[in-house]
Amino acid sequence: MLAAQPPGQGLAELDYEVLLERLKTLVKDKQTLVTLPERTLLLEQMRERGLGDLLDDLAAREVGPHQVGAGLELAWWQSTLEAMISGDDYLAMTDGANLRKIEAVYRLADDAHIASGAARLRGALAESWRASIKKHPAPAEGLKALLKSGGPTLKTLAEQSAVLLPALMPVWAAPPLVLSSVLPDAKTFDAVIVLDAESASLQSALAAVVRARQVIAFGDGRLGGARPFEVNADISPPNASGPEQPGGPLTSAFDALARVLPVKRLTTAYRAVDLELTKYLGAEFYDGT
């Protein structure tokens, strides 16, 4: 099979010696004949799948093998756009300027929706609380008396008003180390979120992890690991020689949970960090991600 020839170099315009050499080259190309049945079958199958117009266009423009993939992707996206527009007359009449205007309006509406999220959440929680005290009048009176007594604890709240507590306190925030001392053993949650899991040891986070079947741990495996928690009056320098910590290095909650839970990498930094610093950290420590 001959590639496309420049003008003036067709077979009819070639000298005899050049034409003879080119014909010999064609005779030696037996591999093309070997694969001809397979290529013919593939072309028929592609036409049956609706790619006939694309094949004809590629052949008419004599697109090279290295550009076929890009041509197919362009045709796919164009077909997708045409399918979307065909069902909406408004989109069919939309130009670039109108699309940018629609995008700007949508962005403003989306920002407003996000900004109103806190108010909508407070309204939903208030409605849930009103419905709960109406549905459970006896526990509501007990809770009112407990609050008037002056010093309710989490244990007394959970024991006396278990049916109202989720509506009153849907989200709990506490250091994992204190949970065992302030909560009843049977108290569970829908989900537990562990923050800075790379710096928290598995032992310290265990009291929180065992209280829910759904656990979400936020952490950075590239940062420092967990360290033992100590309270003492030792005034010796940190590097002074002394007895080693028993048990060896601690396993962080992040490393332990990453072995058994799916891991999702976040690729956007929402904190106000210098862009050049972010680029450097991404390239040096996060494989460019």
Side-chain angles (χ1 to χ4, degrees), residues 154-162 165 184:
L154 292 179
K155 283 188 175 181
T156 56
L157 282 172
E159 291 171 356
Q160 181 170 348
S161 307
L165 200 58

Side-chain angles (χ1 to χ4, degrees), residues 4-55:
Q5 301 299 315
Q9 296 187 17
L11 295 180
E13 291 86 7
L14 294 178
D15 294 336
Y16 173 77
E17 291 78 7
V18 179
L19 177 60
L20 182 61
E21 188 63 29
R22 187 161 297 180
L23 291 176
K24 290 181 179 179
T25 303
L26 289 174
V27 171
K28 293 179 181 179
D29 185 15
K30 297 182 179 180
Q31 184 63 28
T32 301
L33 295 177
V34 172
T35 60
L36 180 59
E38 181 181 358
R39 288 187 286 111
T40 302
L41 179 60
L42 288 175
L43 288 173
E44 291 178 353
Q45 292 177 347
M46 293 175 68
R47 292 185 182 278
E48 291 175 358
R49 294 176 180 267
L51 296 176
D53 292 340
L54 176 62
L55 293 174

Side-chain angles (χ1 to χ4, degrees), residues 43-93:
L43 288 173
E44 291 178 353
Q45 292 177 347
M46 293 175 68
R47 292 185 182 278
E48 291 175 358
R49 294 176 180 267
L51 296 176
D53 292 340
L54 176 62
L55 293 174
D56 295 337
D57 176 68
L58 295 176
R61 293 189 292 113
E62 299 181 352
V63 177
H66 299 294
Q67 289 79 36
V68 171
L72 176 60
E73 183 176 6
L74 176 61
W76 187 90
W77 282 109
Q78 183 176 354
S79 300
T80 302
L81 179 61
E82 291 176 354
M84 296 170 59
I85 293 177
S86 63
D88 193 327
D89 295 336
Y90 180 73
L91 288 178
M93 296 183 294

Side-chain angles (χ1 to χ4, degrees), residues 197-214:
E198 80 284 344
S199 61
S201 66
L202 177 61
Q203 294 89 328
S204 64
L206 203 58
V209 171
V210 299
R211 294 180 181 272
R213 297 182 62 184
Q214 299 182 71

